[in-house]
């Protein structure tokens, strides 16, 4: 299949620091892929460049045949890329349902005049939007009773799910998930992994996720890309990457590869786990 | 403090102070206000089953609040009046008004209590209905009690209307606009130019008011387009500057010269009348009523009420629409909002020019109502006062902004002047030389005003009637810790 997203020679510098260094990257349409790497490797920075929050120092992104760098974040969203955030960024004081309604913003047409006069067209659109929001909340497994609660009052795991529902509301072709299972217990992680797979299978949405939990990465990725100090050091099928010496070295430090001992990341973070 | 205690205390303090400051027949009005405040607060917190029970409960608390009115009225009539005006007669009137205030307070509170026992959506509708009824009946009450407040109350409502517009900008979209009065000036001057003999246009006010709102909106766009992409603090500074520039420009546009390529195209053209202002500005005309007159405020009162009703209706629609949601999302988290597909600049611009539209509309009405406008009516302190109205009542909440706006405006236009007059007279009668020298009216009015706000910001920063989210935001010490904790969790 043709790649849905192509990154060519992406560089991002913050002053003297090179956060992402000449990364070439391709994402196959309909796939689930992972972007991994130690803390500070530049993964989130890479996401932020795709979604227009950062402008790459050099290089370009091509999404579905269209060059998207230089577009502003809302234009990228309109083009069909949805995302979640590593540090949950819900609209804390709006209800769960309202959060998902905001996600539909670019897919709705109501303008100033429409909002003021509220003709039938607008009422219908709004009713459909609410139905869609409820469906999405169901889909990610948030209970109906909680949909009127402020986002900030939801349990942590539900907040992560709500972020996914909100991103799905933008009708993306490509969904970027930044550490979706961070802070979850094994049961929650398991459920979320299933959800991610369902999103791809049922909705045909391409998924790229940043993840530290290697069980998740190995379990659902069809391709894994490893960043270290901003550079791509390895790429391939999960088991190939897991046995790549350079990767093990990046995670565990020099010499660790030879000894095969677990290093600084204790919780299932070693790629060989 | 017990919720019912707080209810009658709040109502009682309001009513008591009004009675004390104004005296005379205002005591009746003070009673109604005390009863209304008490009744609404009691009804909000205590659920009663039958209307009879609700009435009794409301009336009990209303009577306690009414005691404050009674005491205020008696203090004023028996202690203060003899000092400031020894020839003051009519103890009879004092007693009537004091007792009347007490009874009305109980009665009104009881009514609100009874209405609140109706089943769920109807109790709210009826409460609102009662308030609307009181508001509609006010001119009659004013006449009956010979209060002569009508001429002050109309500008009060104009300012509340503006506060509602500012609330879109500050409360919904989270943009700090420190020069909001500039759009008020633009609206008023546009009407001044179009509906007066000054330029010989003499357009009907019914048309001029719409053009004024549109012109204000366009100025909003012109000012907003280059500044709104900037960070919040810059917007505050730019609007502050704009608020200063407009009155100064208007003041100096009485000798307009335009030179193009050395040719003096426009010479000493008087556009705005300078510091003399524009006058007379046309008034509305309606069949049956004829032209509105300065000496009969009643048509103006109902006109501004109608404008107000439409404004509230439209603001509520905006709030509950796709656009309102975008404003609030942007206020909560600009970055996340933009990642969810909201065009930040466009959305800010829409809020900003929407606010300007309301201000321009209010300015046009105001100009027509007072029939003469001067640059000094639109100084910086007007912008600040409007901001205070929004903050006092509770940002982002329509009811809150109306209540906050009414309190500040009524205090500023009616009760503080009366209070300073009263204190002034007391000072003059006193034997202390320093006090006699003081001009209380001009020296202390603003001080009192500022003091109220400082106290307010300290004890209740979220405003009197906050929207649920703002209250949560300001009282979420524990929740902030939770966020920090999860932040740690993620990076481990
Ligand atoms: N806005 C910024 N300004 C300056 N430096 C930044 C900025 N954003 C990221 N960086 C730096 O770029 C580097 C990469 O950060 P990034 O957040 O992309 O890492 P990451 O791979 O997502 O790490 P983690 O697994 O901890 O989330 C870090 O050194 C970080 O400090
Ligand atoms: Mg990251």
């Amino acid at each position: 299949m043709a790649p849905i997203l192509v990154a060519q020679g992406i560089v991002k510098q913050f002053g003297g620091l090179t956060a992402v260094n000449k990364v070439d990257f391709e994402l196959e349409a309909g796939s689930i892929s992972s972007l991994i790497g130690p803390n500070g490797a530049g993964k989130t920075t890479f996401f932020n460049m795709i979604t227009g929050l950062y402008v790459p120092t050099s290089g370009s992104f091509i999404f579905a045949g269209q060059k998207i760098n230089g577009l502003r974040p809302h234009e990228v969203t309109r083009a069909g890329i949805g995302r979640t955030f590593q540090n949950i960024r819900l609209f804390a004081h709006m209800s769960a349902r309202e959060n998902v309604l905001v996600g539909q913003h670019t897919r709705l047409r109501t303008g100033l005049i429409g909002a003021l006069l509220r003709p039938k067209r607008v009422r219908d659109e709004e009713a459909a939007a609410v139905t869609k929001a409820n469906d999405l909340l169901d889909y990610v497994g948030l209970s109906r009773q909680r949909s009127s609660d402020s986002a900030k009052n939801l349990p942590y795991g539900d907040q992560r799910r709500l972020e996914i529902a909100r991103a799905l509301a933008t009708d993306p072709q490509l969904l970027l998930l930044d550490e979706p299972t961070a802070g979850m217990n094994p049961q929650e992680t398991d459920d979320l992994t299933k959800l991610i797979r369902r999103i791809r299978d049922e909705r045909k949405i391409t998924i790229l996720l940043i993840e530290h939990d290697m069980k998740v990465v190995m379990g659902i990725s069809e391709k894994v890309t490893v960043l270290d100090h901003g550079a791509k050091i390895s790429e391939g099928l999960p088991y190939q990457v897991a046995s790549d010496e350079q990767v093990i070295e990046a995670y565990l430090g020099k010499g660790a590869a030879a000894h095969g001992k677990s290093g600084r990341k204790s919780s299932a973070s070693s790629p060989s786990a | 403090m017990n919720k019912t205690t707080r209810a009658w205390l709040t109502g009682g303090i309001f009513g008591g102070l009004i009675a004390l400051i104004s005296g005379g027949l205002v005591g009746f009005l003070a009673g109604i206000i005390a009863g209304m405040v008490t009744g609404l607060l009691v009804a909000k917190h205590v659920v009663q089953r039958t209307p009879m029970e609700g009435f009794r409960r409301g009336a009990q608390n209303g009577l306690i609040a009414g005691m404050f009115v009674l005491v205020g009225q008696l203090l004023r009539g028996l202690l203060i009046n003899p000092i400031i005006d020894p020839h003051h007669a009519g103890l009879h009137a004092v007693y009537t008004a004091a007792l009347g205030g007490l009874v009305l307070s109980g009665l009104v509170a009881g009514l609100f209590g009874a209405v609140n026992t109706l089943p769920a959506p109807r109790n709210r509708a009826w409460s609102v209905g009662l308030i609307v009824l009181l508001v509609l009946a006010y001119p009659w009450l004013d006449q009956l009690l010979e209060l002569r407040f009508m001429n002050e109350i109309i500008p009060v409502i104009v300012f509340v209307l503006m506060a509602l517009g500012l609330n879109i900008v500050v409360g919904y979209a989270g943009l700090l606009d420190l020069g909001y009065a500039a759009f008020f000036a633009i609206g008023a001057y546009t009407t001044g130019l179009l509906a007066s003999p000054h330029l010989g246009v003499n357009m009907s006010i019914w048309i001029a008011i719409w053009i004024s709102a549109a012109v204000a909106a366009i100025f909003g766009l012109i000012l907003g387009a280059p500044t709104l992409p900037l960070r919040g603090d810059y917007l505050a500074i730019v609007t502050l500057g704009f608020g200063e520039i407009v009155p100064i420009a208007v003041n100096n546009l009485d000798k307009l010269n335009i030179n193009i390529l050395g040719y003096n195209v426009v010479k000493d053209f008087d556009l705005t009348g300078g510091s003399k202002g524009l006058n007379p500005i046309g008034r509305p005309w309606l069949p049956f009523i004829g032209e509105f007159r300065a000496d009969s405020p009643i048509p103006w009162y109902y006109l501004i009420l109608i404008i107000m009703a439409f404004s509230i209706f439209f603001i509520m629609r905006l709030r509950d629409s796709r656009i309102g949601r975008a404003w609030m999302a942007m206020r909560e988290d600009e970055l996340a909002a933009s990642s969810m597909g909201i065009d930040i600049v466009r959305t800010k611009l829409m809020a900003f020019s929407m606010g300007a539209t309301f201000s321009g509309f209010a300015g046009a009405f105001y100009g027509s109502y007072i029939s003469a406008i001067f640059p000094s009516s639109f100084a910086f302190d007007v912008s600040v006062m409007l901001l205070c109205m929004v903050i006092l009542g509770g940002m982002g909440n329509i009811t809150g902004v109306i209540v906050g706006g009414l309190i500040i405006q009524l205090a500023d236009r009616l009760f503080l002047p009366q209070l300073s007059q009263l204190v002034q007279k007391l000072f003059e009668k006193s034997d202390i030389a320093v006090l006699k020298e003081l001009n209380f009216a001009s020296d202390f009015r603003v001080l009192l005003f500022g003091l109220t706000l400082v106290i307010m910001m300290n004890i209740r920063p979220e405003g009197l009637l906050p929207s649920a989210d703002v209250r949560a935001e300001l009282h979420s010490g524990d929740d902030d810790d939770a966020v920090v904790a999860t932040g740690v969790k993620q990076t481990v």
Side-chain angles (χ1 to χ4, degrees):
Chain A
M1 250 212 233
I4 190 166
L5 179 76
V6 180
Q8 293 165 338
I10 296 293
V11 177
K12 180 66 192 179
Q13 289 174 324
F14 295 110
L17 175 92
T18 305
V20 174
N21 198 359
K22 298 206 199 85
V23 170
D24 293 311
F25 180 74
E26 279 194 7
L27 201 56
E28 201 177 305
S31 66
I32 299 181
S33 310
S34 295
L35 190 60
I36 65 169
N39 291 117
K43 307 179 294 291
T44 300
T45 305
F46 194 69
F47 267 25
N48 286 345
M49 284 188 285
I50 299 175
T51 54
L53 292 176
Y54 293 162
V55 180
T57 310
S58 67
S60 57
F61 285 107
I62 292 148
F63 173 70
Q66 182 200 355
K67 194 158 172 278
I68 54 163
N69 46 326
L71 294 188
R72 290 189 289 153
H74 69 271
E75 293 166 329
V76 176
T77 309
R78 195 179 305 151
I81 301 180
R83 73 168 292 175
T84 66
F85 295 90
Q86 181 174 353
N87 310 299
I88 300 174
R89 299 189 79 132
L90 289 166
F91 306 118
H93 301 104
M94 297 170 84
S95 72
R97 190 184 296 111
E98 281 171 327
N99 268 273
V100 183
L101 284 168
V102 171
Q104 298 181 47
H105 188 84
T106 48
R107 308 300 168 204
L108 303 176
R109 295 274 69 86
T110 303
L112 205 53
I113 304 292
L116 289 176
L117 302 180
R118 213 178 271 182
K120 183 159 177 359
R121 177 181 60 77
V122 169
R123 289 198 304 272
D124 290 349
E125 183 185 84
E126 192 68 14
V130 171
T131 310
K132 181 176 167 186
N134 287 334
D135 290 348
L136 279 170
L137 289 171
D138 281 346
Y139 188 75
V140 301
L142 257 118
S143 64
R144 273 284 160 97
Q145 296 101 294
R146 306 227 64 159
S147 58
S148 302
D149 288 8
S150 285
K152 68 188 269 276
N153 293 334
L154 295 177
Y156 180 79
D158 283 357
Q159 292 195 7
R160 286 243 174 249
R161 289 168 180 277
L162 178 54
E163 265 215 334
I164 294 176
R166 186 179 68 172
L168 286 175
T170 66
D171 286 345
Q173 288 167 263
L174 168 62
L175 181 60
L176 307 177
L177 304 172
D178 198 342
E179 303 197 17
T181 69
M184 287 188 168
N185 64 32
Q187 179 59 47
E188 288 174 320
T189 302
D190 225 43
D191 292 346
L192 198 78
T193 312
K194 288 197 189 103
L195 174 65
I196 293 172
R197 209 194 302 270
R198 269 176 59 212
I199 291 173
R200 192 272 307 266
D201 293 348
E202 296 171 7
R203 299 182 169 243
K204 312 284 173 247
I205 294 172
T206 311
I207 291 173
L208 175 63
L209 68 153
I210 295 174
E211 192 47 76
H212 277 307
D213 187 331
M214 285 307 140
K215 201 159 143 268
V216 176
V217 173
M218 296 301 145
I220 57 171
S221 325
E222 282 135 25
K223 190 182 85 173
V224 177
T225 304
V226 189
L227 290 186
D228 185 31
H229 294 297
K232 186 167 95 177
I233 57 165
S234 181
E235 188 168 53
L237 297 170
Y239 76 91
Q240 292 172 333
V241 169
S243 55
D244 187 326
E245 294 214 348
Q246 239 189 315
V247 175
I248 299 171
E249 201 175 290
Y251 268 92
L252 307 175
K254 264 207 164 21
H259 297 106
K261 281 250 165 105
S262 68
R264 69 173 205 256
K265 288 207 156 273
S266 52
S267 64
S269 292
S270 160
S272 51
Chain B
M1 201 186 331
N2 184 326
K3 292 257 164 71
T4 28
T5 315
R6 186 184 293 177
W8 57 252
L9 198 61
T10 313
I13 288 176
F14 269 108
L17 276 178
I18 293 172
L20 181 69
I21 291 169
S22 307
L25 293 174
V26 180
F28 289 104
L29 185 65
I32 293 177
I33 291 175
M36 189 164 100
V37 173
T38 312
L40 283 171
L41 289 178
V42 171
K44 209 170 129 200
H45 296 301
V46 188
V47 187
Q48 305 291 337
R49 261 153 293 140
T50 68
M52 203 50 226
E53 213 179 299
F55 183 86
R56 206 169 51 225
R57 185 64 179 248
Q60 273 167 7
N61 290 288
L63 284 176
I64 305 178
M67 290 306 288
F68 285 71
V69 179
L70 183 100
V71 170
Q73 190 73 18
L74 291 181
L75 277 178
R76 174 64 192 243
L78 304 181
L79 281 180
I80 300 175
N81 277 351
I83 303 177
I84 56 176
D85 185 7
H87 309 296
H88 191 87
L91 279 186
H92 186 65
V94 172
Y95 294 130
T96 329
L99 281 176
L102 175 71
V103 171
L104 277 176
S105 177
L107 216 60
V108 173
L111 260 181
F112 276 102
V115 155
N116 191 57
T117 54
L118 294 169
R122 275 201 289 156
N123 57 358
R124 251 191 93 90
W126 274 87
S127 296
V128 174
L130 271 184
I131 296 172
V132 169
L133 207 67
L134 275 174
V135 170
L136 288 180
Y138 181 77
W140 172 79
L141 205 67
D142 190 278
Q143 226 156 35
L144 190 75
L145 300 176
E146 296 170 357
L147 301 177
R148 299 199 182 80
F149 288 167
M150 287 297 286
N151 283 322
E152 297 298 334
I153 280 181
I154 290 161
V156 164
I157 302 175
V158 174
F159 272 66
V160 172
L161 177 64
M162 268 198 288
L164 282 175
L166 182 60
N167 181 49
I168 295 178
V169 185
V170 181
Y172 291 164
L175 305 167
L176 186 53
D177 184 347
L178 292 177
Y180 192 62
F183 300 115
F184 183 46
I186 289 169
Y189 268 91
T190 307
T191 296
L193 293 176
L194 293 179
S196 81
H198 184 72
L199 297 181
V201 183
N202 285 318
M203 187 185 282
S204 158
I205 184 75
W206 296 122
I207 302 167
I209 198 165
W210 294 105
I211 299 179
S212 302
V215 169
I218 290 166
F219 269 92
L221 289 177
I222 293 173
L223 180 69
T227 44
L228 286 169
L230 301 175
R231 249 186 32 224
D233 351 7
Y234 293 107
L235 178 69
I237 293 167
V238 171
T239 50
L240 180 67
F242 186 64
E244 286 293 291
I245 288 168
V246 167
I248 294 173
V250 164
N251 203 359
N252 290 307
L253 280 176
D254 56 345
K255 285 203 182 62
L256 181 64
N257 283 287
I258 298 177
N259 293 305
I260 298 174
L261 300 172
Y263 292 98
N264 196 212
V265 185
V266 176
K267 189 167 190 316
D268 282 351
F269 178 64
D270 181 2
L271 183 65
T272 62
S275 57
K276 296 187 306 295
L278 292 177
N279 157 19
I281 298 172
R283 299 198 166 106
W285 184 94
L286 276 183
F288 304 114
I289 298 170
E291 200 188 51
F292 288 24
R293 298 209 321 261
D295 57 0
S296 94
I298 291 179
W300 295 98
Y301 179 77
Y302 286 114
L303 177 61
I304 190 70
L305 281 187
I306 292 169
I307 293 175
M308 190 72 165
F310 271 104
S311 304
I312 294 173
F313 177 70
F314 281 133
I315 290 173
M316 278 165 64
R317 284 202 153 179
L318 273 180
R319 181 195 63 189
D320 298 333
S321 72
R322 167 177 177 263
I323 291 165
R325 282 196 301 266
W327 285 337
M328 282 173 245
M330 186 173 75
R331 182 192 67 196
E332 298 262 311
D333 187 335
E334 203 171 304
L335 191 147
S338 73
S339 292
M340 290 309 123
I342 291 169
D343 183 341
I344 295 295
V345 174
R346 196 189 146 93
T347 307
K348 282 184 177 176
L349 213 51
M350 213 184 266
F352 201 68
S353 57
M354 211 50 217
T357 310
F358 275 95
S359 197
F361 204 90
F365 179 93
Y366 185 75
S368 174
Y369 172 65
I370 61 171
S371 181
I373 44 173
F374 314 97
S376 59
S377 322
F378 312 101
F380 178 57
D381 57 346
V382 176
S383 296
V384 172
M385 175 173 328
L386 286 164
L387 205 57
C388 292
M389 290 159 72
V390 172
I391 291 169
L392 176 77
M395 261 192 277
N397 179 353
I398 294 177
T399 321
V401 172
I402 293 174
V403 171
L406 283 177
I407 291 176
I408 289 198
Q409 278 292 307
L410 288 174
D412 188 54
R413 286 171 191 272
L414 285 175
F415 297 108
L416 284 184
Q418 288 182 3
L419 176 68
S420 38
Q421 230 176 23
L422 178 66
V423 175
Q424 188 75 43
K425 278 187 187 152
L426 286 176
F427 281 176
E428 277 164 15
K429 300 281 173 192
S430 78
D431 299 327
I432 308 164
V434 185
L435 289 185
K436 283 187 192 176
E437 298 280 307
L438 277 177
N439 182 354
F440 191 84
S442 57
D443 293 350
F444 287 93
R445 212 195 66 160
V446 183
L447 178 77
L448 276 174
F449 184 57
L451 206 63
T452 320
L453 277 166
V454 172
I455 295 171
M456 189 67 204
M457 288 328 275
N458 274 301
I459 58 171
R460 208 176 156 89
E462 71 271 34
L464 296 172
L465 297 172
S467 62
D469 26 311
V470 178
R471 185 188 357 225
E473 202 161 342
L474 283 166
H475 288 279
S476 62
D478 342 321
D479 292 292
D480 285 349
D481 293 344
V483 171
V484 172
T486 54
V488 172
K489 223 163 152 190
Q490 290 157 25
T491 45
V492 166

